[in-house]
Amino acid sequence: KFADYPLLAYLRRGARVTVNTDNIGISGATITDNYMLAARLCPEPTRLDLLRLIRHAVDAAFVSAERRSRLVSEIAGSIPFP
């Protein structure tokens, strides 16, 4: 059952989960498509849930430390730090 999809349960218990996309040429799904799917699978995500998912994605991104630092600075006002 989709009602049992554990994304929000994991997130709210402190797991550093993210929403991702695969090779768009193969799957045809964008990151927006995947966030929309996650919202359908996990009814009623809060704004804080979504901001945490974004923050986790920044923390896990394959980017340089300098770029990660810039991204964190850009979003620091909106996304609470753990």
Side-chain angles (χ1 to χ4, degrees):
K1 292 190 260 183
F2 288 131
D4 296 330
Y5 194 74
L7 178 79
L8 290 181
Y10 290 158
L11 180 69
R12 291 172 181 171
R13 288 187 178 103
R16 300 189 63 76
V17 297
T18 62
V19 172
N20 304 288
T21 190
D22 201 347
N23 182 331
I24 195 167
I26 294 172
S27 67
T30 65
I31 190 66
T32 301
D33 294 330
N34 289 342
Y35 269 98
M36 296 299 290
L37 175 60
R40 286 193 302 275
L41 294 174
C42 305
E44 302 179 24
T46 66
R47 182 174 186 266
L48 183 57
D49 291 330
L50 297 173
L51 293 173
R52 284 184 177 143
L53 287 169
I54 293 167
R55 174 57 199 260
H56 293 170
V58 169
D59 290 342
F62 293 104
V63 297
S64 68
E66 180 182 320
R67 177 68 177 135
R68 184 182 327 281
S69 179
R70 284 195 315 263
L71 287 168
V72 168
S73 294
E74 289 173 17
I75 62 175
S78 299
I79 301 175
F81 290 85

